Amino acid sequence: MIKKSFFRTFLLLTVSFLFYAAKGQTILSTPKQVIITGKVNHYSPDIPVMIYVNRLGFSTQHVTAKTDSLGNFYATFESYIPTDAWITYKSNFLVLTYPGDSLHVEFDGQPDYRPDVLRTVKYSGSTAESNRYASVFQQLFFSDPLYTDFNKKNQAIKDYEVGKYTLYLNALKSHSDSLYKRFVSQYHPDERSKKWALLYVEQEYYDRLAFYPKDHREANNMSIFNGWDVPKGYFQKLANRLPLDSTMLVCGYSLLNFSDRFNKYVADQTKGNLPEGGAVNAGGWFLPANIGDSIIIHSIIKYVPDTLLRQIMLTDYFSRKLEKQQITEYGRFKQLREEYIKLPFLKEPLDQLYQQTKMRIDNPNLYTETVLKEAAGSSVAQLLDSILKDNKNKVIYIDVWATWCGPCLSEFPNSKLVEQQMKDRNAAFIYLCTASQKDQWKATLAKFQLGGQHYFLTTQQSRELTRTFEIKGIPFYILIDKNGVIREKGNQLRPLDAKNKMEKLL
């Protein structure tokens, strides 16, 4: 006798397929390669060309483009669905990508100002037309006060209470609507870029709506215990955007951010209904560690009415845990994962991430050997060998950073504090500066006065390091024990979190 669960699974898969097929967007069951080629005119070899792929349910995928001395570059990645990706050189801009397609992008490497760069971009390939329109829209958006007037934004966040800020947001939304209508009426974009632009400009509104409670409190130096909060229902406007459909997938940037912001709506729904020790403030959960995972996962299932969004948010929750080397939740909630995460572009990469994470945890020596083998014959291999020899029998904390990376620099005071707290311990702090100008590197070190050991990596070394350690974004940290075994790596290993882990390895 065939079990009822089989029919239920079959029905869910069939309904999902029919739903997404009916929306005119094929979601592949196996990924296809995306190729991005191009040329940076007036290219400087000191600045790498990087691609940041927006992946729903996961952290942004970082791809270092192979670039020759003339500025010709080449990059590939695999994708199940259409999405957008940041091309980053001095500045950055978004391009639209589709599985199995190729795109050629040429731009001037001299300007620093994003709209100036966008004016020079030329496209060819299967998605050239959509990308030309997307570039035009980005020129409009990134030149508009909607984006550029940071002082007014920050002043409104600080000064306006909830009611007045809501009116301010409504005015901004009217402005963004006008900007979008001007784009459509003046340039007559194709349907792909038209949809993408609408989602992109809308996300500005939802971002500001979501971050206001936390930012307002911080701008006014309020403690989370002072009682101030937005009223329940403030985040309802996030839910009003639903439903999502597969034609929206091409704007990965927007949906990636929207799914993250929607957690505030879900948390708000639980306000007043949490067990003892749990609370919600400014759209954020404060939960006991022993029940926090269960509350969040079940709340997503209960309060996210949209099937696509629910699957993205659950995938994102589990992938964040795995990226922090935490695999317990993946197994503990297996039944819920299998019941609610069905789409292959979410399920398959999540399973792969689990296997990779488990391998690193179960076989740290094997993983370390694999990494060193991957770096063999490169200048990075020599660098790693030198670091291990110079710090033999020490716990090593490596910080990969760049002079232009704001989040990297914001952690330096914490790094300095942890260094001081552990100055008499058998620990080494290593700083690897990547993809930067040497004079700016020296100036940054002079400003922050960090201790530890500092290395400036060439463009080639930066690329090798990124490839070897699969670095998807910076700051990036690597923790190595006294035996030279890599214990953990990733963006989550910030200095204050790393301190306790270092002490356990000493």
Side-chain angles (χ1 to χ4, degrees):
M1 182 178 177
I2 302 176
K3 295 181 178 179
K4 290 182 180 179
S5 59
F6 172 83
F7 286 112
R8 183 180 186 185
T9 300
F10 177 77
L11 180 61
L12 280 170
L13 286 171
T14 302
V15 169
S16 294
F17 174 79
L18 291 174
F19 173 78
Y20 293 107
K23 295 294 182 179
Q25 178 62 63
T26 302
I27 294 179
L28 303 177
S29 58
T30 56
K32 286 187 177 181
Q33 188 178 62
V34 176
I35 300 173
I36 299 180
T37 61
K39 179 175 174 58
V40 182
N41 296 314
H42 302 107
Y43 171 69
S44 170
D46 294 327
I47 307 174
V49 179
M50 296 178 286
I51 314 292
Y52 294 91
V53 185
N54 293 309
R55 303 184 306 159
L56 296 178
F58 300 90
S59 62
T60 301
Q61 181 182 357
H62 174 213
V63 181
T64 302
K66 297 177 181 178
T67 312
D68 65 19
S69 60
L70 299 176
N72 297 295
F73 64 88
Y74 175 89
T76 65
F77 59 92
E78 290 190 333
S79 182
Y80 292 81
I81 58 172
T83 189
D84 48 16
W86 293 99
I87 293 183
T88 302
Y89 181 63
K90 286 182 180 177
S91 183
N92 61 3
F93 56 92
L94 281 162
V95 295
L96 283 55
T97 70
Y98 295 82
D101 286 351
S102 61
L103 178 67
H104 185 81
V105 187
E106 185 173 339
F107 62 93
D108 192 343
Q110 283 188 321
D112 294 317
Y113 182 51
R114 185 184 284 156
D116 289 342
V117 177
L118 285 161
R119 290 185 188 97
T120 72
V121 181
K122 299 177 182 177
Y123 296 102
S124 58
S126 48
T127 59
E129 182 182 24
S130 296
N131 275 290
R132 278 192 287 269
Y133 287 123
S135 281
V136 169
F137 175 76
Q138 290 177 79
Q139 289 179 52
L140 294 173
F141 178 82
F142 292 121
S143 303
D144 193 271
L146 182 70
Y147 175 77
T148 61
D149 197 348
F150 297 106
N151 290 333
K152 189 172 182 179
K153 293 178 190 176
N154 293 334
Q155 201 64 43
I157 288 169
K158 184 176 189 296
D159 293 344
Y160 294 171
E161 282 298 328
V162 180
K164 191 172 182 180
Y165 191 79
T166 301
L167 294 175
Y168 168 73
L169 282 182
N170 291 339
L172 287 179
K173 190 173 188 307
S174 295
H175 182 89
S176 65
D177 290 343
S178 298
L179 179 67
Y180 173 74
K181 289 175 181 176
R182 176 157 60 95
F183 166 65
V184 172
S185 63
Q186 186 172 346
Y187 296 97
H188 307 290
D190 66 352
E191 287 303 316
R192 286 175 168 178
S193 57
K194 186 177 175 181
K195 185 74 171 183
W196 177 86
L198 177 62
L199 291 167
Y200 192 94
V201 78
E202 283 182 346
Q203 190 55 42
E204 180 77 5
Y205 169 81
Y206 293 114
D207 283 348
R208 295 192 195 183
L209 173 80
F211 287 130
Y212 164 73
K214 178 176 179 293
D215 291 347
H216 177 77
R217 192 174 62 200
E218 291 179 354
N220 290 282
N221 298 313
M222 298 180 186
S223 164
I224 61 172
F225 304 109
N226 78 336
W228 182 89
D229 197 1
V230 291
K232 186 169 182 177
Y234 169 83
F235 297 101
Q236 178 62 38
K237 290 184 176 65
L238 292 168
N240 293 344
R241 189 187 201 182
L242 302 176
L244 304 184
D245 66 63
S246 63
T247 65
M248 298 178 174
L249 295 176
V250 68
C251 197
Y253 171 83
S254 174
L255 292 194
L256 189 66
N257 286 316
F258 182 75
S259 63
D260 177 73
R261 314 311 183 238
F262 205 82
N263 280 296
K264 297 182 181 297
Y265 168 81
V266 175
D268 193 52
Q269 296 302 300
T270 68
K271 187 182 288 186
N273 297 311
L274 292 170
E276 185 178 354
V280 172
N281 186 278
W285 268 298
F286 298 86
L287 302 170
N290 61 324
I291 58 173
D293 292 312
S294 180
I295 288 175
I296 293 173
I297 290 170
H298 283 92
S299 295
I300 291 172
I301 292 171
K302 181 177 181 180
Y303 294 113
V304 181
D306 185 81
T307 303
L308 176 56
L309 180 59
R310 186 191 307 128
Q311 292 187 67
I312 292 170
M313 291 178 65
L314 288 172
T315 302
D316 180 72
Y317 189 80
F318 288 114
S319 69
R320 286 175 186 265
K321 289 289 184 179
L322 293 174
E323 288 174 355
K324 294 179 181 179
Q325 315 297 307
Q326 299 173 7
I327 64 174
T328 304
E329 293 78 15
Y330 186 87
R332 181 182 166 199
F333 297 99
K334 178 181 177 181
Q335 184 176 344
L336 290 176
R337 276 193 303 101
E338 293 179 346
E339 182 176 355
Y340 287 99
I341 303 177
K342 298 292 185 181
L343 291 169
F345 77 90
L346 300 170
K347 182 180 183 303
E348 299 303 326
L350 184 63
D351 290 341
Q352 292 171 14
L353 180 60
Y354 167 73
Q355 294 298 334
Q356 294 165 359
T357 306
K358 190 172 187 303
M359 186 276 287
R360 283 198 291 268
I361 293 173
D362 292 346
N363 303 284
N365 285 295
L366 178 61
Y367 175 68
T368 302
E369 291 169 6
T370 301
V371 169
L372 295 178
K373 184 178 180 180
E374 180 72 16
S378 72
S379 56
V380 164
Q382 297 168 350
L383 175 64
L384 292 173
D385 184 59
S386 175
I387 290 172
L388 291 173
K389 285 181 179 178
D390 292 346
N391 299 283
K392 190 175 181 179
N393 298 322
K394 291 184 178 181
V395 172
I396 303 171
Y397 181 58
I398 299 178
D399 181 335
V400 181
W401 65 285
T403 56
W404 43 264
C405 170
C408 301
L409 304 184
S410 68
E411 289 292 344
F412 278 176
N414 293 328
S415 297
K416 192 170 183 178
L417 175 64
V418 174
E419 281 180 26
Q420 294 169 348
Q421 292 173 339
M422 302 188 72
K423 64 180 181 179
D424 297 324
R425 310 294 295 275
N426 209 19
F429 292 83
I430 314 294
Y431 298 87
L432 306 181
C433 181
T434 68
S436 300
Q437 301 284 348
K438 203 163 192 176
D439 57 344
Q440 294 176 356
W441 170 62
K442 292 178 180 178
T444 303
L445 294 185
K447 175 181 179 181
F448 286 95
Q449 293 293 307
L450 294 167
Q453 302 162 36
H454 296 270
Y455 296 84
F456 179 82
L457 274 61
T458 65
T459 300
Q460 183 61 33
Q461 287 175 319
S462 297
R463 290 172 181 161
E464 290 172 358
L465 185 75
T466 296
R467 175 180 54 81
T468 300
F469 285 96
E470 300 175 311
I471 298 175
K472 299 171 183 174
I474 54 175
F476 186 88
Y477 306 94
I478 305 166
L479 182 59
I480 302 174
D481 69 17
K482 291 188 289 186
N483 297 315
V485 175
I486 299 170
R487 290 292 178 180
E488 189 173 343
K489 68 181 180 70
N491 305 83
Q492 79 286 346
L493 199 60
R494 303 293 171 107
L496 297 180
D497 296 321
K499 181 176 180 287
N500 291 335
K501 297 181 178 183
M502 292 177 72
E503 289 178 335
K504 290 178 182 178
L505 294 175
L506 288 169

